[in-house]
Structures are given as structure tokens and as C-alpha cells.
Amino acid sequence: MNQLAGTAVVFDLDGTLVDSEPHYYEAGRLTLAEHGVPDFSWADHERYVGISTQETVTDWRRRYGLTASVAELLAAKNRRYLALARHGTRAYPEMRRFVELLADEGVPLAVASGSSPEAIAAVLAGTGLDAQLRTVVSADEVAHGKPAPDVFLEAARRLGVPPERCVVVEDAAPGAAAAHAAGMRCIAVPYVPEQADAPEFATAGLLLRGGQAEFTARGAHDWLLRTTASA
């Protein structure tokens, strides 16, 4: 008997399944430099971890007084990101094992991300994760990105699983907040371990304060079994 029957797992992509944040930072740095902002730092980038690309560039316009439209900035950043991400994105080994373990057990799986559909498809294809992760929701397809619950609720709808039977795997505070708002349990693996005390992470059922260094496929699977059996 499959002890996880009726449960679905929804993964964030960037910083959770794959180490794509360096590519997003570089794409952002180059785009901003082109528009007269030469000193965009990694620390500046960290404030945008976990929110959609569209919301990121919208904030850039306000913060840096840019004259380019959101559409122009979005297209420029996505173009640069895709060039970097297609062949150079690494899946976290333990996350890959977790995906494979769940897929082997027939657990419905999805990706719900703030990235564009093109970026998600490129990364999943480039890492081979598209073999197991065929249900994909981009924040571009819903009304509001994280921390709103829209992407997770749409993923649940497409999987045909009630939100309360879904478990989210997330690396960022806005994603943990979105999972909580969607009524879903959450495994939180902070991309920036120093942000583990953020109040949004306090709502997670499992918080791995050390981030990816602390995450194991077997540990996450065992937690899923225990909490599903007691739910």
C-alpha cells in the first residue's frame, strides 16, 4: 500500500530544485548596468529571492528610477537569463533524488515558480527534471505571484488534489507564506540560511535551517510519511 496515496508535492524551482540564483543575479546585474545602475550587488539581489521576475523588475523601476517599461526590463532580463540557464544550471543532487523517489511511488508532482514559462521549461529540460515534473505553473499564468497563494492553488487544481493534501517545497520566505496561505504543508529549505528566522518560515511544517546542506531526500520522505500518517 502506498502510504502517500492522495498526497501531492509541489516544488518551487529556483533555489529549491536548482541552483539558478547566480544566473538570475548575473542577468539582473547586466540588465541594470545597461540602464545606468552599475553597482547591483549580490546583497541587493537577495531581497528578490522568492518573488516573480515581473515583480522584481517592477520594483527596480521604482527603486532605481528607471525609464524603461516593465515589459522591456522583463524581456531583457529573461533573454539574458535563458542564455545562461539553458546549459549551465545544476539540480541539487538530494532534491533530484527526492523527486525520483516520489515519482517512483506515483506521487503527483508539480513545479510552481515565479519564473517565466520559457525559463522553467529551459531549466527543467536542461537538468532532465522534465522527465518527472510535467505539471508546471508560472506566476505569469496567475493573477498574483508569491506570497499570494495563486501558483500553488493552480498547481493543486491541475493535479486534481485538494490543497490540504499538497506539500510545498520552498527556499524563500514569500514561498513559505504562499504555501501557508494556500492551506498547504511546507518543507522549507532556506536558500539564504541567515534568513531562516524570518517569520514566514515559522509556518513551515519542516524547516531545515541550514538550507540545502541540511536537506536529504530520505529525511524529507520520512517526514512526509510521518506527517501524512498522522494527518
Side-chain angles (χ1 to χ4, degrees):
M1 177 182 172
N2 182 359
Q3 293 173 275
L4 293 176
T7 297
V9 177
V10 183
F11 290 89
D12 172 59
L13 181 64
D14 302 297
T16 299
L17 281 171
V18 301
D19 189 17
S20 54
E21 289 299 339
H23 293 326
Y24 269 111
Y25 165 64
E26 183 64 6
R29 187 188 68 79
L30 291 171
T31 300
L32 284 169
E34 182 181 52
H35 290 275
V37 182
D39 54 355
F40 187 69
S41 69
W42 178 259
D44 293 326
H45 170 76
E46 284 183 344
R47 69 165 58 95
Y48 300 105
V49 172
I51 68 172
S52 74
T53 305
Q54 180 158 333
E55 288 166 319
T56 294
V57 300
T58 300
D59 188 74
W60 284 356
R61 289 190 82 239
R62 178 190 60 80
R63 186 179 297 272
Y64 299 113
L66 305 180
T67 57
S69 70
V70 167
E72 289 173 308
L73 293 167
L74 187 62
K77 187 182 182 190
N78 279 339
R79 183 179 67 253
R80 289 188 169 98
Y81 173 75
L82 284 170
L84 292 165
R86 279 196 174 96
H87 306 294
T89 302
R90 177 182 74 94
Y92 292 112
E94 283 296 318
M95 280 291 174
R96 186 188 294 277
R97 292 188 189 100
F98 190 39
V99 168
E100 292 171 348
L101 190 59
L102 295 171
D104 287 346
E105 295 184 2
V107 175
L109 304 175
V111 170
S113 170
S115 291
S116 69
E118 296 80 10
I120 299 169
V123 168
L124 291 179
T127 57
L129 288 168
D130 58 341
Q132 292 90 16
L133 298 168
R134 299 185 182 92
T135 299
V136 174
V137 182
S138 163
D140 292 359
E141 301 175 88
V142 296
H144 304 288
K146 305 169 190 178
D150 301 28
V151 286
F152 292 138
L153 292 173
E154 177 61 15
R157 187 191 70 78
R158 293 185 190 183
L159 291 172
V161 178
E164 64 271 17
R165 298 293 298 174
C166 293
V167 177
V168 167
V169 186
E170 258 289 352
D171 75 296
H180 183 65
M184 301 178 180
R185 289 181 288 155
C186 181
I187 298 173
V189 190
Y191 183 79
V192 183
E194 292 78 12
Q195 296 177 1
D197 287 326
E200 295 90 342
F201 284 132
T203 65
L206 176 62
L207 171 59
L208 299 171
R209 303 181 69 86
Q212 291 291 339
E214 193 176 324
F215 179 86
T216 66
R218 182 52 60 185
H221 185 266
D222 289 349
W223 178 84
L224 264 184
L225 287 175
R226 288 196 308 273
T227 58
T228 300
S230 62

